[in-house]
Amino acid sequence: MKKVAAIVLATAMTVPLITGCGAVTVPEESTAETTVKELGPARAQDDYYRFVNQERFDTSEFEYGSSTVEIAFKTDLIDEQIEKIIDDCVAGSGYAKGSEEDIIKTAYEYYQAYDYKNEPIPEDLMAMIEAIDGVKSLDELLKLDAKLVTDYGTTGFFELNAGVNPLKPTERVIQFNQLSGVLKTSFEEIEEGNYVINNISKDAQMILITRGYDKETAEKHGKALALLALDVYGGTDIDITKEGMPFKYQKILSTSEMKELLSNVDLDSYLTELGIDKSKVNKYLITDEGQLKALNKVFTEENLDALKTWELGMLYGQYVRYIAPHYQQYETYVGKSYKSEHDQAIDEISEKFYKETDPIYVERHYAPETDKALRSMCDDIKSGYRKLISGATWLSDGTRAELLQKLENIVYVTGTDLKRHNNAEYANIYGKNYYELTLNYTRLSRKKIIDEFNNDDPISRKDVGMPMQMMNACYDPGYNNITITAAITNEPFFSTKSDYYTNLGGLGAVIAHEIGHAFDSNCIVFNSKGEYDPSWIPEKDMKILEERNEKAKKYFEDNFTVFGVYHVDGDQTLGENYADLGGVECITSLCKTKEDRIKLFESYATIWCGMCTDETIINQVAFDVHSPSYIRVNAILSTMDAFYETYDIKEGDGMYIAPEKRISRWY
């Protein structure tokens, strides 16, 4: 694969190479060297994405070693805000025991004081390592595995979780999620080349050598674990991970069916060790039945040494910073940071204790007037969708009615829904050092999850499941809600001082996109109650939807490429493309004048502004369910009549697509 010249990375990297577009020039290759033709000024009619963002491209640079440049929004702003919160908490005093501020302050001070190199491996951690090493049977190992899950925060052999049924969000269920790999090697990496299975063997050998095993025995057990991992990989459906839509594969099993599937595991005893009230368990949700069958097959006494090695690896991986410094051969497993001690502590607290900084972030950076304006805009977007869905006469009356009900049932989750925790619950987690604090914090978190299940606590669609200090928004098909974080209410996405249509083209487009997921090709199979039920859509309507899906796939694949070579995968990106298209159709329908549309379109192009290296964007086309940013702008606008009217797009212009090839989500 030819690499393009550096100048292209700084300018043309994120502009579209649309079929028929004459505004962008592809680098020409000669036998002597690669040359680049200069890009001329962009016109809105030829390349809207570059037309809006060219000045930003010209004044932005890649940082050394970086593969992307954030232009639309600088996440450094959020980092600085969180750092200020932590610094203020550390500088303050007199906090209530168990409060967010006190936990942050204590965690910071404990972390600064902990000497990982010279402190011995914590006694209880060492005891767990020795207990695993001394296991004599599978039942004994599974008992320890449950303890590691509840008390030490590992994933365990089964990725088991006591949570809400994503297929029917009014009930709680025991879930068996898909394992992603073994030790540090993922199943996706194994798919790329089976040779990486050797990494599992090498990592296992390193761990066993620290336990005093001789080289020959360590190699024997390491190879056994690698072969075991290969067996589990063989039963794993990698498409579940790649597609990112596990609900398509998930299903409910009865207790008898689950016990038959895991016939080599004493499931009742395992649940008891986890602290789960078995009287509350009458069904199980599984994601990858083939993987569970493969796991069950390897759970034999014959494989005990390999399984023990796997368990050791999970515990080592979770607590590597406390273990590695004490073994010369394992020291390299802990990377060295060249940041200041203060910056390292900030990074640590930001990652490990974000649930403590989160409510403080909302209190400081999410004003009531912002929430009021945001919710009002959400209501406007709902009204836009209401009109679009009502006008979709190509669907039957019953299907339109159910979609409208689903729309009405959507709730918004914002910063106002995030509440501080009960200080009394956290008052006794401190311990005497950073290890004990984080361990107790983990144990409390796991205990709360188990208690919610055992007590059958009410399930709320307003629970905050995403950090409010993360710049993001998302739609949950089961809860049928959209979460809009406090961090994304910054400019250029949103500001109470900005023009309404600028906000609508910014954060409004994101919100409309997320609501659009309720009706995209993936999530439309959830009914208005949030239940996964593909049968709710009549066969006649499903056929129409599938025909439109095929046209949409063809639209993106035939008309939009990267470097004029790499075509967008229409099937892979269909759900996200539909959410983009339906969202922009919705917010555009709320505009009253040409000037309104101009503000909206310019804001929409602005929020997707960014640059990345050629390798990064090619990988995105290959694996990401999202289209590249410039396609999210140009492909969507090129199929909308309102855009043609606003900018007088004519045949021969780069943004022009023949009418018969254009698509719509609702029209």
Side-chain angles (χ1 to χ4, degrees), residues 97-258:
K97 202 71 171 174
S99 67
E100 286 83 357
E101 288 87 350
D102 200 47
I103 291 172
I104 292 168
K105 179 181 176 70
T106 304
Y108 181 94
E109 292 173 347
Y110 275 0
Y111 180 78
Q112 290 274 42
Y114 202 93
D115 186 349
Y116 290 95
K117 188 169 185 178
N118 295 308
E119 282 279 353
I121 297 174
E123 288 184 14
D124 68 298
L125 180 58
M126 199 67 210
M128 286 303 300
I129 292 171
E130 291 172 349
I132 297 169
D133 218 6
V135 160
K136 303 298 183 185
S137 69
L138 274 182
D139 287 342
E140 192 179 343
L141 180 62
L142 285 170
K143 184 176 181 179
L144 279 175
D145 185 73
K147 185 175 180 61
L148 289 172
V149 171
T150 57
D151 290 3
Y152 291 85
T154 67
T155 60
F157 289 121
F158 306 108
E159 284 274 2
L160 186 148
N161 179 46
V164 178
N165 183 354
L167 308 182
K168 190 176 182 181
T170 56
E171 64 182 20
R172 297 185 183 276
V173 70
I174 298 298
Q175 303 173 9
F176 284 84
N177 299 311
Q178 186 189 48
L179 285 174
S180 59
V182 174
L183 300 188
K184 298 191 302 179
T185 301
S186 72
F187 291 137
E188 286 193 77
E189 289 175 314
I190 296 174
E191 183 188 39
E192 292 297 314
N194 283 356
Y195 64 89
V196 302
I197 205 76
N198 293 326
N199 295 339
I200 296 175
S201 179
K202 291 176 182 177
D203 289 341
Q205 290 175 44
M206 188 69 68
I207 291 168
L208 292 173
I209 287 173
T210 69
R211 298 297 307 131
Y213 286 75
D214 60 72
K215 185 177 180 182
E216 183 179 348
T217 305
E219 286 181 354
K220 176 184 174 183
H221 293 342
K223 289 177 180 177
L225 177 57
L227 291 173
L228 184 151
L230 200 57
D231 287 340
V232 177
Y233 161 75
T236 299
D237 188 343
I238 301 296
D239 288 341
I240 297 175
T241 302
K242 289 181 176 179
E243 191 173 351
M245 297 290 170
F247 59 80
K248 292 183 177 180
Y249 304 87
Q250 289 170 333
K251 63 179 181 179
I252 294 291
L253 297 184
S254 66
T255 298
S256 60
E257 289 172 328
M258 194 69 231

Side-chain angles (χ1 to χ4, degrees), residues 468-486:
M468 282 291 152
Q469 61 206 39
M470 176 189 293
M471 194 197 76
N472 208 347
C474 73
Y475 172 74
D476 187 305
Y479 286 116
N480 195 27
N481 66 14
I482 58 167
T483 299
I484 308 156
T485 70

Side-chain angles (χ1 to χ4, degrees), residues 494-514:
F494 188 85
S495 171
T496 53
K497 298 177 182 178
S498 294
D499 175 88
Y500 175 79
Y501 293 99
T502 298
N503 281 337
L504 192 62
L507 184 52
V510 176
I511 294 168
H513 168 99
E514 297 305 334

Side-chain angles (χ1 to χ4, degrees), residues 339-396:
K339 291 185 177 181
S340 68
E341 291 185 0
H342 169 267
D343 288 349
Q344 289 181 54
I346 293 294
D347 289 346
E348 177 75 13
I349 307 308
S350 298
E351 178 184 352
K352 295 290 194 302
F353 294 91
Y354 73 87
K355 288 186 177 180
E356 311 311 311
T357 59
D358 219 28
I360 303 173
Y361 181 88
V362 169
E363 291 166 6
R364 290 191 181 187
H365 302 290
Y366 191 68
E369 56 267 29
T370 298
D371 190 70
K372 182 179 179 181
L374 177 61
R375 289 178 181 272
S376 176
M377 189 169 70
C378 287
D379 288 339
D380 291 345
I381 292 169
K382 257 192 179 183
S383 70
Y385 269 112
R386 194 177 298 119
K387 184 176 180 181
L388 288 174
I389 296 170
S390 298
T393 54
W394 44 275
L395 290 170
S396 66

Side-chain angles (χ1 to χ4, degrees), residues 370-539:
T370 298
D371 190 70
K372 182 179 179 181
L374 177 61
R375 289 178 181 272
S376 176
M377 189 169 70
C378 287
D379 288 339
D380 291 345
I381 292 169
K382 257 192 179 183
S383 70
Y385 269 112
R386 194 177 298 119
K387 184 176 180 181
L388 288 174
I389 296 170
S390 298
T393 54
W394 44 275
L395 290 170
S396 66
D397 292 344
T399 298
R400 286 203 312 279
E402 180 71 2
L403 291 178
L404 286 169
Q405 187 59 57
K406 186 175 184 178
L407 175 69
E408 297 309 316
N409 291 348
I410 291 175
V411 297
Y412 324 130
V413 179
T414 71
T416 58
D417 297 297
L418 183 66
K419 310 302 180 186
R420 282 183 175 249
H421 64 228
N422 181 353
N423 293 351
E425 290 183 329
Y426 290 80
N428 298 316
I429 68 169
Y430 292 83
K432 64 178 182 291
N433 57 34
Y434 189 69
Y435 168 77
E436 292 188 5
L437 172 62
T438 54
L439 185 66
N440 292 335
Y441 191 76
T442 296
R443 288 176 176 175
L444 178 59
S445 175
R446 293 296 172 99
K447 181 179 183 300
K448 286 162 72 75
I449 292 171
I450 298 298
D451 287 348
E452 285 176 357
F453 182 88
N454 289 341
N455 299 332
D456 199 18
D457 288 353
I459 298 169
S460 172
R461 296 168 61 211
K462 299 283 284 183
D463 286 345
V464 178
M466 177 185 294
M468 282 291 152
Q469 61 206 39
M470 176 189 293
M471 194 197 76
N472 208 347
C474 73
Y475 172 74
D476 187 305
Y479 286 116
N480 195 27
N481 66 14
I482 58 167
T483 299
I484 308 156
T485 70
I488 203 171
T489 59
N490 283 289
E491 293 183 284
F493 289 86
F494 188 85
S495 171
T496 53
K497 298 177 182 178
S498 294
D499 175 88
Y500 175 79
Y501 293 99
T502 298
N503 281 337
L504 192 62
L507 184 52
V510 176
I511 294 168
H513 168 99
E514 297 305 334
I515 293 180
H517 274 308
F519 316 109
D520 73 14
S521 55
N522 294 312
C523 299
I524 198 170
V525 292
F526 284 79
N527 63 26
S528 62
K529 298 177 183 178
E531 299 169 341
Y532 179 67
D533 179 20
S535 67
W536 85 260
I537 304 175
E539 185 177 344

